[in-house]
Amino acid sequence: YFFLFFFCPFCSASPQPPPRPPHIIIYLFFPLFCASGGAVPPATAGVPEALFQVPQWTGRPQFGDLQLNVALAAAKAMGRNPREIAQSIVEHLDLAGLAEKVEIAGPGFINIFLDSHGLADAIRRMQESTRLDLDAVTAPQRVVIDYSSPNLAKEMHVGHLRSTIIGDAVARVLEFLGHQVVRQNHVGDWGTQFGMLIAELEAGGVNSAALQLADLEGFYRQAKAHFDADAEFAERARQYVVMLQAGDAKCLALWQTFIGLSLQHADEIYRKLHVSLQPADTRGESAYNDDLPQVVAELEAAGLARQDQGARLVYLDELVDGEGNPLPLMIQKGDGGYLYGTTDLAALRYRIRQLRAERCLYFIDARQSLHMQQVFATARAAGWVPAQVELLHCAFGTMLGEDGKPFKTRAGGTVKLVDLLDEAVNRAARLVAEKNPDLSGQEQAEVAEAVGIGAIKYADLSRTRTNDYSFDWNQMLSFEGNTAPYLQYAYARIASLFRRAEASMDACEGQPELRHESERQLAIQLLRFREVVHQVGLRGYPHELCNYLFQLASCFMSFYEHCPVLQPGVEPAERTGRLVLAAATARVLGKGLDLLGIRTLERM
Ligand code: ARG
């Protein structure tokens, strides 16, 4: 059977595939519009399921809006003529109301030309809908997302940027799709370093109020220097670790003081970054201290942990390197201490049992891939993870300097996140003052903030997260190209159009006419929003949304160049239709940027 499943922005079709009957099915995950609630009746065309493909957007109107190349691949495998197969597929396609024309081209490409009335109607509905006609998923999941998760001993540095902003974008997308998102900031708030830090707190007689947030990094350095130079201090620091672990009240209080300050600093960064993490989302490593013996005991009881010179390790068949050498996960050291992985296992257990996670995402550097693999495999082997629960390490590459080496200060030190963000805002402020000196001081500051922070975030989010990327101030702050300022400017331009039209963007309703090709292309691009948002929710790659928004802005610029809106001589119906297209564009840009955690401005 051919069964067309439409990922459809034009109707209320569910974005999940329907249950698969035991026949050949073709899922067309693309935003076509359909009159019949998402599925076109099955029909026989004899193509094996393994060969089915998703139709591609052509981007070139002469080849139709969508192209289906399944006949070519099928022909090879089936030893049949591709045009014949294409013919038989086309005969079984029922695209009434969806496509105005279906053509077989060349050796057997199927070109689908969408119906302009249907497109226009869908844009009208999109503009009428408060959610841009993007329905919530029919099967919401409880998704636990581990992101940001800095170590609290030190100040947040650039190494924490990627997890924080990529994780936040995906959290926002999943929430918007209707999933129940539980954010988990798995901060590193435990370990030997804290002995040193509380010894320093005490030695300096520093009362908590006097320890300035800005000094966190300096404080760490001071403690470390003290530790290295003074044997007595070092001994005390070690003692404090033991006392801390034993629950000594005085040590705990000092530790608490330090953690509180460090968390306050992290929170300040989150506010500056316009990230949605809240203090209540913090559940640090220390929260799992009491579970660790139990985790080890359960793994032992399950026969998974092996002793090796007093240490305990988990060996699993699937945990081997390329040569078949085992890559065990150590869960307890010879001295009885627990490790990063033990805590992660406890956290995973907590997420499944207490948070009732149906899906767990981890936004962590790619260099921790083996670690995540070990944790996931061990938790599954222990039977803690129901089979249907997805565990996904959403890995990302490294942020590099303009020299292609890991991003560092000129002196070779780590770059504090707060300094990086402040510099972004300062650079943006200079740009704004230059480009629009007429804005009031207050307005200039707001624009600088949104543009500077937006630029940093967007430069990161627009890269395929698994790759490394080079940090480049000039590129990210450019008003041309795939950047935040370009998109923010496109938005502001539409806002200004509406000010001149003395019309409200949100209340702008009606049916566009789509007579000019650039209007049609803009409409199609607008309607693809749904497909892209779902895609980001499934795979966790925000760059797909960035690319989409960039293309949308480009489609808009082309439309705006070709289609006058407020000029005299434009008929009222045409003017309304074009305003609707502009309003829908601004709304999608605004929502898209909002999902990325980037602000838009009415004036720039
Ligand atoms: N604190 C760790 C680091 O800075 C990251 C923690 C990531 N999350 C986790 N569940 N392991 O490297």
Side-chain angles (χ1 to χ4, degrees):
Y1 284 91
F2 265 123
F3 191 71
L4 301 192
F5 173 73
F6 295 117
F7 202 162
C8 176
F10 300 87
C11 66
S12 307
S14 143
Q16 265 92 31
R20 291 169 154 229
H23 300 289
I24 297 169
I25 294 172
I26 184 167
Y27 292 113
L28 301 184
F29 276 88
F30 69 100
L32 220 82
F33 47 105
C34 53
S36 58
V40 175
T44 335
V47 177
E49 182 177 5
L51 299 175
F52 287 156
Q53 297 171 357
V54 169
Q56 305 295 317
W57 292 97
T58 67
R60 287 192 284 177
Q62 67 271 32
F63 299 126
D65 301 307
L66 288 154
Q67 192 169 75
L68 188 55
N69 298 339
V70 62
L72 293 154
K76 256 211 196 115
M78 298 164 70
R80 279 177 55 192
N81 178 322
R83 280 194 75 99
E84 259 170 45
I85 298 178
Q87 189 55 45
S88 128
I89 292 172
V90 168
E91 274 163 21
H92 290 95
L93 283 174
D94 177 7
L95 298 176
L98 316 178
E100 60 192 12
K101 190 166 73 171
V102 179
E103 249 176 32
I104 300 173
F109 301 110
I110 300 170
N111 295 341
I112 301 168
F113 296 79
L114 299 180
D115 184 279
S116 290
H117 289 292
L119 288 171
D121 211 41
I123 294 293
R124 176 185 53 74
R125 275 208 302 280
M126 186 175 202
Q127 191 51 21
E128 280 167 12
S129 149
T130 50
R131 285 179 54 89
L132 293 160
D133 215 22
L134 199 151
D135 302 311
V137 287
T138 45
Q141 282 181 313
R142 234 174 128 76
V143 189
V144 173
I145 309 186
D146 183 316
Y147 71 103
S148 195
S149 309
N151 291 332
L152 295 184
K154 292 190 181 185
E155 208 164 314
M156 282 181 80
H157 57 82
V158 291
H160 299 115
L161 183 68
R162 303 208 70 189
S163 173
T164 305
I165 63 187
I166 304 172
D168 199 53
V170 174
R172 286 167 189 258
V173 165
L174 288 168
E175 217 153 48
F176 182 57
L177 284 169
H179 294 292
Q180 222 178 55
V181 171
V182 183
R183 292 164 172 80
Q184 289 286 280
N185 195 358
H186 187 82
V187 295
D189 62 353
W190 201 248
T192 51
Q193 291 158 312
F194 292 96
M196 181 181 91
L197 293 166
I198 59 182
E200 183 66 28
L201 261 189
E202 192 206 46
V206 188
N207 72 41
S208 53
L211 177 58
Q212 290 299 303
L213 289 178
D215 283 350
L216 215 51
E217 195 68 21
F219 183 78
Y220 182 90
R221 254 185 279 124
Q222 188 184 310
K224 182 77 171 65
H226 217 155
F227 185 90
D228 291 339
D230 180 343
E232 216 176 290
F233 178 89
E235 188 43 39
R236 208 169 336 126
R238 275 189 279 270
Q239 248 170 39
Y240 281 168
V241 176
V242 177
M243 286 164 73
L244 197 57
Q245 276 162 352
D248 174 79
K250 180 182 133 202
C251 282
L252 275 175
L254 285 166
W255 169 77
Q256 199 74 63
T257 301
F258 183 85
I259 295 298
L261 286 167
S262 190
L263 279 174
Q264 228 172 295
H265 157 76
D267 195 58
E268 210 177 274
I269 297 268
Y270 298 148
R271 301 288 79 82
K272 269 190 206 266
L273 261 181
H274 192 48
V275 151
S276 63
L277 269 175
Q278 297 299 323
D281 302 323
T282 300
R283 194 173 164 87
E285 295 189 356
S286 67
Y288 304 101
N289 283 349
D290 294 347
D291 298 344
L292 302 179
Q294 184 63 25
V295 164
V296 171
E298 280 186 39
L299 291 171
E300 294 238 279
L304 292 169
R306 228 192 278 166
Q307 291 231 23
D308 187 357
Q309 296 169 2
R312 286 178 167 79
L313 299 107
V314 174
Y315 287 83
L316 293 170
D317 291 344
E318 68 255 53
L319 292 179
V320 289
D321 68 11
E323 271 103 61
N325 305 308
L327 296 168
L329 174 68
M330 193 188 285
I331 52 170
Q332 193 168 22
K333 291 190 280 194
D335 67 5
Y338 300 103
L339 299 103
Y340 183 46
T342 328
T343 310
D344 257 325
L345 286 168
L348 180 47
R349 231 158 126 260
Y350 172 82
R351 290 169 191 184
I352 304 273
R353 294 184 186 173
Q354 266 75 38
L355 300 179
R356 298 191 317 282
E358 294 167 281
R359 193 177 183 215
C360 295
L361 307 181
Y362 291 76
F363 287 86
I364 310 179
D365 195 300
R367 285 169 288 195
Q368 292 191 30
S369 292
L370 173 62
H371 169 77
M372 291 323 296
Q373 221 179 308
Q374 291 171 322
V375 168
F376 293 168
T378 302
R380 288 220 188 259
W384 295 334
V385 188
Q388 73 278 10
V389 172
E390 183 192 15
L391 305 178
L392 193 61
H393 174 203
C394 300
F396 49 82
T398 306
M399 184 170 136
L400 307 172
E402 287 175 38
D403 56 0
K405 304 214 184 81
F407 196 77
K408 290 262 155 66
T409 59
R410 234 171 259 136
T414 40
V415 179
K416 290 189 196 181
L417 204 38
V418 68
D419 293 343
L420 188 81
L421 302 184
D422 288 346
E423 179 165 358
V425 175
N426 289 336
R427 283 178 182 255
R430 287 201 292 273
L431 273 180
V432 175
E434 199 181 289
K435 285 191 191 265
N436 200 346
D438 299 340
L439 291 180
S440 73
Q442 155 104 21
E443 273 178 316
Q444 283 193 19
E446 266 169 44
V447 175
E449 175 94 36
V451 168
I453 300 297
I456 286 205
K457 294 178 83 170
Y458 192 88
D460 192 306
L461 293 166
S462 59
R463 269 33 176 261
T464 308
R465 66 166 153 74
T466 41
N467 296 343
D468 296 345
Y469 79 93
S470 295
F471 190 88
D472 178 347
W473 285 117
N474 292 333
Q475 183 276 332
M476 71 178 69
L477 282 165
S478 166
F479 278 70
E480 271 143 56
N482 190 8
T483 65
Y486 175 73
L487 297 178
Q488 288 168 318
Y489 181 61
Y491 180 93
R493 227 170 134 178
I494 301 175
S496 119
L497 173 72
F498 276 86
R499 278 194 299 276
R500 276 181 287 129
E502 293 176 8
S504 145
M505 209 150 75
D506 290 323
C508 178
E509 289 176 10
Q511 184 116 350
E513 299 190 336
L514 308 187
R515 279 201 284 235
H516 194 277
E517 189 53 36
S518 66
E519 291 178 287
R520 221 176 152 273
Q521 290 306 320
L522 178 58
I524 288 176
Q525 187 65 14
L526 283 166
L527 295 167
R528 294 183 61 183
F529 181 56
R530 158 189 282 223
E531 158 198 352
V532 172
V533 174
H534 277 286
Q535 180 99 345
V536 175
L538 284 175
R539 297 172 15 102
Y541 282 90
H543 77 277
E544 292 171 342
L545 178 55
C546 297
N547 288 346
Y548 164 81
L549 293 173
F550 177 53
Q551 279 173 29
L552 175 64
S554 309
C555 281
F556 177 79
M557 295 306 180
S558 161
F559 152 81
Y560 202 51
E561 213 175 281
H562 293 107
C563 302
V565 184
L566 302 182
Q567 276 85 325
V570 179
E571 285 166 33
E574 186 140 71
R575 173 189 147 112
T576 305
R578 288 179 178 171
L579 280 171
V580 170
L581 282 173
T585 302
R587 287 182 68 218
V588 171
L589 279 175
K591 186 70 215 176
L593 286 171
D594 177 55
L595 292 176
L596 297 172
I598 294 173
R599 281 179 264 228
T600 45
L601 304 147
E602 302 297 309
R603 254 176 246 273
M604 265 172 86

